[in-house]
Amino acid sequence: MNPTMNRLLTIAFSWLIAPAATWAQTTDAPDTPEPGSLEAIAQETSDPRFSSPWVASVPESAEIPSPTDFLGHIAGAAGELPNSATIYAYLRELAQASSRVSIEVIGRTEENREILLLAIADEAGIRALPELKAASARLADPRLTTPAQLEELLPLARPFYYFNGAIHADESGAPDMLMELAYRLAVSEDPMIRRIREQLVVLINPVANPDGRDKMSDWFYRFHRGKTDYDTLSRQSPPYWGKYVFVDANRDAHQLDFATTQAVAKMFFDYHPTVIHDLHEAIPLLQTWNGTGPYNPNLDPIVYAEFLEMSFHEMSALSALGMPGVWTWDFGEGFGYHYTDSIAMNHNAIGRGYETFGNAVPLRVTRKIASFDVTRTWFRPLPPPDREFTWSHRDNVNYSQSGSLAALDYTAGQAKQLLRNFYQKGYNSWTRGKSGDPYAFVIPAEQGDRLRVASMINRLLDQRIEVGRASRKFSIGDETFSSGDFVVLLDQPYRNYAVDLLQPQEFPDDAEHEPYDDISWALPVHYGVRTIAVNDSAILKVSIRKITERVKPEGTVASSGRVYLLKDTGQESLLAARYRLADFEVRIAERAFRLGRQTYPAGSWVIDDQPGLADALRAVSAELALDFDAARSAPDVTLHSAPLPRLGVWVPWADTDMSGWIRYSLDQQRIPYTYLRDEEIRAGKLKQDIDVIVYGAVLLDLQGQIHGIEPTHGPMPFNRTDEFPSLGAPVSSDDITGGIGWQGLANLEAFARDGGVLITLGSGSTLVLESGLVRNVRRVDLHGVTTPGAHLRTLFLQPQHPIAYGYPAETYAFRSPYSFYDPPRRWLTMSYCTSCLDGPIDLRHVVMQWGTQPYDAEDDPKAGPAAPILISGGGKNLSALEGRPALLDVPLGDGSVLVFNFNPMHRDLNHADSRYLYNGILNWRYIASRDAGSR
Ligand SMILES: [Zn+2]
């Protein structure tokens, strides 16, 4: 049988087994298809199996405009990618015309675009929105509703089911799908749709990331419209979707840093939806999330059963409609909840998501999939029949819309039970907190960095975790706490999330499945803030005032002296403070010193009084909560000057994601920097304008870090034009291809040789270590060793190094899965050698190592270390990491290269690590000159 015949028969057979009853229902359905919609959708659908009767046509309405009425084409048509303005204009018309739809603005993006939210229900539901929201809020807080009152409340409540569309802009089908879904939900009289309207309120955020959608739309029309060969398309996505990060916009659930997540959080605390459903695109053909395990022990077990049940419903419903390739389970682990949908998971609701097969571009193209994807298994009972097929934008819309309808149908059928569960999860969380284990967390307000304590507390408050302050001094056991210390009493509805955020993570050692992302998010560890779990019920008798506003501590400035002193107790804000004091000379103590009864650690500041200084210190102290002491004369200690560096942040066009967090953190602290594109690195003469270059972690190998985006399709301009006004922000380029090239690498070397300090973070360090810019450090394959985003113990081998200012000699850092390296070795001079790097270990340039045990090449992997290397998270065979370099300071010409084997600027989370980087920036001149002496 020839393949074509085989395929035709397969299609014919699948039509025979397709559930005829369902198709028959649509014939009798009360909806009249919009004229032409059946044909248009069939034409845009690659294969009849890639559709369902639920979405095969669009219902006709005399009064309400359909997407086709507005756009002139069916949603998901090839060659069309409407931008947010067009989508919003249509949805506003829909809301205007239909009393079943309301619309509101729930946010504004960094580029000042609106983020819109639609609510869709029957007329009664839309009229009663305020009452329904109030009922949801009462279900969310069990202190407002007793179990006895629950049954009275349920008839007054409905589940809100929230869809989030295209937070990842190149996962481009959801906005098109959601326009059609909104219209269908508003006008269809199909019994299934009517029941959804009557039982639920459907919330739709059609374009979760409008900055990204508009860039994606412009990018498509500029470079890809009309193309058909998927394998030869140039880069399908613009280099930016927003002002800062890229894919990592979906790692912001704990931080709520970006407008995309802030809007979802605002919606959540306003509506208390039962479900947040985030629509993504990647793997074929429709994957409905729920995680493989290990599952997070702090979530209520009800949720795990709920999301499995919902996923299985989607899988069975769509399989029954004859749609192949719908599956669940084998994606992500279910331990970490850092994603947008996790806002629901962390607050007793259900977070879920899809990965629909997407082309990124709205084109009908030939796609090939892996053999795994066509395997029939319990979690994919009806796999796609072929590994190669044609796939269109409309196929994508058909799948995600059919799945969404199945999910809504399920939720409508289970509406009251899901509300009951939502209440029960909050109730369980609250009552668990009342019974201890622990009762509370206490966080002393005055510790090394009071501003960082406040930032951590504010993060809890933003998540609606309730925090109080002690009204007076109190003791628990043999520890005494001060008035004003923070107390998180756990008898509260979000107790589970509080515990999850405030205790170190323990990823099971024997887990069958690997983590998908970070496995340590404990805020006290990330922030370096001492937090005490209290399991003594005496804490319940302590007088505590609940905090109602964000915390803003201030510092003090001593009345005038000849000299001002700032004790370095690890404050994160020292770099920001240095920039605020740009007009004044600051000197830094290289050793600890005593003055009166005070001991000032190395890193403390000495500032001679000068006109205007006192006022400037008062402003800095108020803003950054720093204390400035006064003295009659400078202390007797070696000081070095800390001139302000001209800071550059190099962001390669090939990967802007992780560097976006660096830019975000610097912007938040108003630390000025120059954005360096590949173009600037290529142009050279870097030291003329820049003293310190920071190069962040990137998901690129050495080749990608040097040569960037494949230049075959270049030039690819990313700049604003009248036709493509969304491109070119936050920075523009005439051509984003080609990377820095060999010349750029040579220019970076010249920069350091000219006295600059080049700082590479995490995987960005590949560039200097593996190109040979830093010599004699060899990458090592540590088989079976994993550090998937965990906190690990470290040791300063050079505790006097400026990078160590503010830290104890034994400390820790957050490590993502980057490459491993051996310590540097001295070069052996022999007549010939085959492994010249195998000279003796040279620790002169190792500032900090992993673990506390020394590196021992002979005894590898090592026996268990004295102090366990793991602090929070997990990892495999971690003892093999002991003694390997975590941070190098390598002299190069008149300058230096600081090489981090971790990322101290990870997602605005690991604030305890920031000072490693900031010390390098602040002491740049001293480091370069110190290194010059050590050559
Ligand atoms: Zn995605």
Side-chain angles (χ1 to χ4, degrees):
M1 198 183 299
N2 71 44
T4 316
M5 183 70 103
N6 188 3
R7 187 167 170 76
L8 286 172
L9 279 176
T10 315
I11 293 169
F13 184 66
S14 84
W15 279 93
L16 279 175
I17 59 165
T22 318
W23 287 96
Q25 267 177 22
T26 52
T27 330
D28 301 335
D31 292 337
T32 309
E34 181 179 49
S37 68
L38 195 66
E39 296 76 7
I41 290 170
Q43 196 188 341
E44 294 287 347
T45 300
S46 309
D47 181 319
R49 290 169 299 182
F50 297 162
S51 186
S52 78
W54 292 347
V55 300
S57 65
V58 174
E60 165 74 339
S61 167
E63 302 85 33
I64 317 285
S66 72
T68 302
D69 293 334
F70 188 85
L71 301 169
H73 57 79
I74 207 80
E80 304 290 349
L81 200 67
N83 63 17
S84 66
T86 306
I87 295 167
Y88 287 170
Y90 167 63
L91 293 171
R92 283 191 155 114
E93 281 204 6
L94 177 68
Q96 185 72 36
S98 171
S99 47
R100 295 168 176 171
V101 182
S102 77
I103 202 160
E104 67 179 297
V105 178
I106 54 166
R108 266 191 186 274
T109 66
E110 287 79 2
E111 294 183 357
N112 205 29
R113 290 179 179 84
E114 287 176 333
I115 301 177
L116 284 196
L117 180 73
L118 270 74
I120 306 172
D122 58 359
E123 288 82 350
I126 294 299
R127 272 197 310 271
L129 266 185
E131 292 78 17
L132 291 170
K133 281 158 75 166
S136 253
R138 286 192 57 197
L139 290 171
D141 189 344
R143 296 168 301 186
L144 305 175
T145 308
T146 65
Q149 291 165 332
L150 171 66
E151 293 304 320
E152 293 161 29
L153 184 57
L154 284 180
L156 309 174
R158 294 187 190 188
F160 290 97
Y161 194 111
Y162 169 85
F163 288 105
N164 201 55
I167 187 170
H168 290 154
D170 73 343
E171 301 167 14
S172 57
D176 304 86
M177 182 282 272
L178 290 169
M179 279 191 284
E180 186 173 295
L181 179 68
Y183 172 75
R184 188 182 302 285
L185 291 173
V187 306
S188 173
E189 293 304 330
D190 182 278
M192 179 176 87
I193 305 281
R194 277 217 323 259
R195 186 169 70 147
I196 291 169
R197 261 196 323 256
E198 288 161 7
Q199 296 295 321
L200 311 178
V201 177
V202 182
L203 300 175
I204 294 179
N205 178 344
V207 193
N209 179 1
D211 293 348
R213 174 66 174 198
D214 290 1
K215 287 179 173 54
M216 185 67 197
S217 175
D218 279 356
W219 192 258
F220 168 71
Y221 288 115
R222 189 166 192 173
F223 294 110
H224 296 115
R225 195 180 202 180
K227 307 259 171 79
T228 53
D229 185 356
Y230 193 76
D231 294 337
T232 61
L233 287 183
S234 54
R235 186 184 156 107
Q236 293 146 38
S237 166
Y240 272 103
W241 295 335
K243 186 175 179 187
Y244 293 111
V245 298
F246 200 67
V247 174
D248 264 17
N250 196 35
R251 300 294 184 278
D252 190 31
H254 303 313
Q255 309 92 312
L256 304 177
D257 281 342
F258 304 117
T260 46
T261 3
Q262 286 163 2
V264 180
K266 180 182 189 302
M267 174 287 301
F268 186 88
F269 296 120
D270 192 14
Y271 287 89
H272 299 94
T274 309
V275 180
I276 287 183
H277 189 150
D278 204 15
L279 297 165
H280 290 260
E281 294 169 21
I283 40 185
L285 293 175
L286 175 69
Q287 210 284 347
T288 165
W289 298 353
N290 46 45
T292 54
Y295 291 129
N296 184 313
N298 291 319
L299 258 62
D300 193 294
I302 297 170
V303 77
Y304 296 124
E306 282 178 320
F307 71 18
L308 280 164
E309 209 171 339
M310 297 179 97
S311 297
F312 274 89
H313 177 78
E314 288 157 336
M315 200 165 74
S316 62
L318 269 58
S319 295
L321 295 173
M323 299 179 85
V326 179
W327 61 292
T328 187
W329 188 69
D330 195 17
F331 182 81
E333 88 286 318
F335 185 80
Y337 289 100
H338 351 270
Y339 315 99
T340 306
D341 68 293
S342 307
I343 293 172
M345 287 302 221
N346 294 330
H347 296 94
N348 304 328
I350 304 167
R352 49 200 321 269
Y354 284 166
E355 300 289 340
T356 310
F357 201 37
N359 293 339
V361 287
L363 296 173
R364 182 185 288 209
V365 292
T366 303
R367 299 291 302 271
K368 297 183 196 76
I369 60 177
S371 54
F372 166 81
D373 295 318
V374 294
T375 311
R376 188 186 309 276
T377 161
W378 65 267
F379 56 81
R380 183 172 36 232
L382 180 60
D386 304 302
R387 287 189 53 193
E388 186 172 327
F389 48 85
T390 304
W391 187 256
S392 71
H393 200 50
R394 180 68 207 192
D395 298 334
N396 172 346
V397 166
N398 290 340
Y399 268 80
S400 60
Q401 191 174 184
S402 299
S404 298
L405 286 166
L408 291 173
D409 183 37
Y410 173 88
T411 308
Q414 303 291 323
K416 300 305 173 197
Q417 186 55 37
L418 286 164
L419 290 175
R420 215 175 262 122
N421 288 351
F422 175 57
Y423 170 82
Q424 190 68 43
K425 285 179 278 184
Y427 183 85
N428 292 348
S429 187
W430 171 52
T431 49
R432 257 185 102 178
K434 290 207 283 195
S435 58
D437 194 26
Y439 286 104
F441 291 93
V442 180
I443 301 144
E446 287 298 319
Q447 37 181 318
D449 184 354
R450 64 169 78 94
L451 188 60
R452 202 154 59 197
V453 175
S455 305
M456 187 180 101
I457 297 296
N458 289 337
R459 211 146 248 194
L460 298 175
L461 295 174
D462 290 347
Q463 297 290 354
R464 307 293 171 101
I465 290 169
E466 295 166 6
V467 184
R469 299 192 84 157
S471 308
R472 60 183 76 93
K473 196 165 113 173
F474 66 98
S475 296
I476 299 288
D478 49 13
E479 185 152 13
T480 301
F481 298 97
S482 305
S483 170
D485 282 355
F486 298 99
V487 182
V488 182
L489 287 173
L490 290 169
D491 57 338
Q492 55 171 303
Y494 300 144
R495 173 264 176 206
N496 287 351
Y497 188 30
V499 171
D500 200 42
L501 282 178
L502 292 172
Q503 273 186 341
Q505 275 65 51
E506 292 177 36
F507 191 83
D509 284 341
D510 56 353
E512 204 181 329
H513 299 275
E514 294 296 320
Y516 185 75
D517 205 274
D518 294 348
I519 50 173
S520 178
W521 49 88
L523 293 183
V525 188
H526 267 311
Y527 278 72
V529 165
R530 199 166 86 87
T531 300
I532 302 104
V534 175
N535 203 19
D536 182 338
S537 60
I539 189 75
L540 303 177
K541 300 196 181 72
V542 174
S543 163
I544 292 162
R545 292 173 279 120
K546 196 168 148 185
I547 303 177
T548 51
E549 282 178 7
R550 299 181 109 233
V551 188
K552 183 162 183 342
E554 293 192 3
T556 57
V557 181
S559 54
S560 69
R562 303 273 285 277
V563 173
Y564 287 93
L565 302 168
L566 170 60
K567 186 188 285 191
D568 185 352
T569 55
Q571 304 94 322
E572 188 183 335
S573 59
L574 289 196
L575 184 62
R578 183 67 193 93
Y579 280 93
R580 303 292 191 280
L581 298 171
D583 294 339
F584 305 96
E585 196 199 358
V586 170
R587 289 180 297 162
I588 295 180
E590 293 174 16
R591 296 285 183 275
F593 62 91
R594 288 185 64 85
L595 212 72
R597 277 184 294 170
Q598 296 269 1
T599 299
Y600 290 80
S604 296
W605 288 14
V606 177
I607 314 171
D608 293 331
D609 197 13
Q610 34 205 302
L613 178 65
D615 285 344
L617 293 183
R618 275 189 285 273
V620 168
S621 170
E623 182 201 348
L624 301 173
L626 295 171
D627 295 336
F628 292 93
D629 305 334
R632 256 173 268 156
S633 59
D636 182 20
V637 64
T638 312
L639 302 167
H640 63 254
S641 177
L644 263 191
R646 297 166 300 170
L647 179 63
V649 177
W650 166 35
V651 185
W653 285 116
D655 181 7
T656 62
D657 201 20
M658 295 304 279
S659 307
W661 290 105
I662 300 176
R663 293 172 43 239
Y664 175 82
S665 294
L666 295 176
D667 284 356
Q668 288 299 302
Q669 301 182 73
R670 296 193 290 117
I671 295 171
Y673 63 90
T674 302
Y675 185 116
L676 299 171
R677 307 170 302 165
D678 293 343
E679 288 93 321
E680 276 75 52
I681 305 293
R682 273 199 309 260
K685 297 202 168 77
L686 293 161
K687 188 64 182 72
Q688 284 183 4
D689 305 309
I690 305 290
D691 300 309
V692 176
I693 293 178
V694 175
Y695 175 46
V698 284
L699 275 178
L700 301 166
D701 60 9
L702 179 62
Q703 204 177 108
Q705 294 193 31
I706 296 173
H707 298 297
I709 299 168
E710 171 67 49
T712 314
H713 300 278
M716 291 195 92
F718 178 66
N719 54 14
R720 186 192 161 104
T721 66
D722 289 345
E723 201 182 355
F724 306 113
S726 303
L727 303 180
V731 283
S732 67
S733 176
D734 294 332
D735 182 13
I736 63 166
T737 73
I740 59 168
W742 301 118
Q743 187 57 52
L745 192 59
N747 293 340
L748 287 172
E749 182 180 9
F751 165 77
R753 289 193 181 282
D754 291 348
V757 174
L758 173 62
I759 305 180
T760 62
L761 310 181
S763 49
S765 296
T766 301
L767 183 76
V768 293
L769 294 179
E770 298 186 18
S771 71
L773 208 140
V774 163
R775 286 175 177 270
N776 299 349
V777 177
R778 182 186 277 178
R779 191 215 286 232
V780 59
D781 289 325
L782 295 179
H783 296 293
V785 180
T786 62
T787 67
H791 282 96
L792 304 179
R793 206 175 297 275
T794 61
L795 177 72
F796 273 109
L797 295 185
Q798 298 181 34
Q800 313 286 1
H801 194 286
I803 300 250
Y805 293 163
Y807 291 97
E810 194 177 308
T811 176
Y812 63 85
F814 179 84
R815 193 182 197 282
S816 297
Y818 303 128
S819 299
F820 304 106
Y821 296 91
D822 276 344
R825 289 173 185 275
R826 285 177 204 272
W827 192 263
L828 285 185
T829 311
M830 293 197 285
S831 55
Y832 77 95
C833 64
T834 51
S835 54
C836 294
L837 283 171
D838 288 341
I841 291 173
D842 177 4
L843 295 179
R844 281 177 307 162
H845 305 309
V846 181
V847 178
M848 189 166 81
Q849 67 159 52
W850 294 112
T852 52
Q853 294 275 71
Y855 175 74
D856 181 354
E858 300 306 310
D859 180 23
D860 183 21
K862 273 158 279 305
I869 187 169
L870 181 67
I871 287 181
S872 174
K876 292 201 174 130
N877 301 314
L878 293 173
S879 63
L881 200 54
E882 295 272 349
R884 293 199 151 82
L887 213 168
L888 300 165
D889 170 9
V890 184
L892 192 64
D894 292 336
S896 267
V897 189
L898 299 179
V899 188
F900 285 70
N901 191 230
F902 59 98
N903 177 8
M905 300 287 269
H906 181 76
R907 298 176 172 163
D908 188 26
L909 279 172
N910 54 338
H911 288 249
D913 296 347
S914 303
R915 276 289 300 276
Y916 299 127
L917 174 65
Y918 292 173
N919 284 341
I921 298 172
L922 190 56
N923 297 280
W924 70 278
R925 166 110 16 112
Y926 174 61
I927 288 173
S929 60
R930 190 176 179 275
D931 284 352
S934 78
R935 256 164 281 265

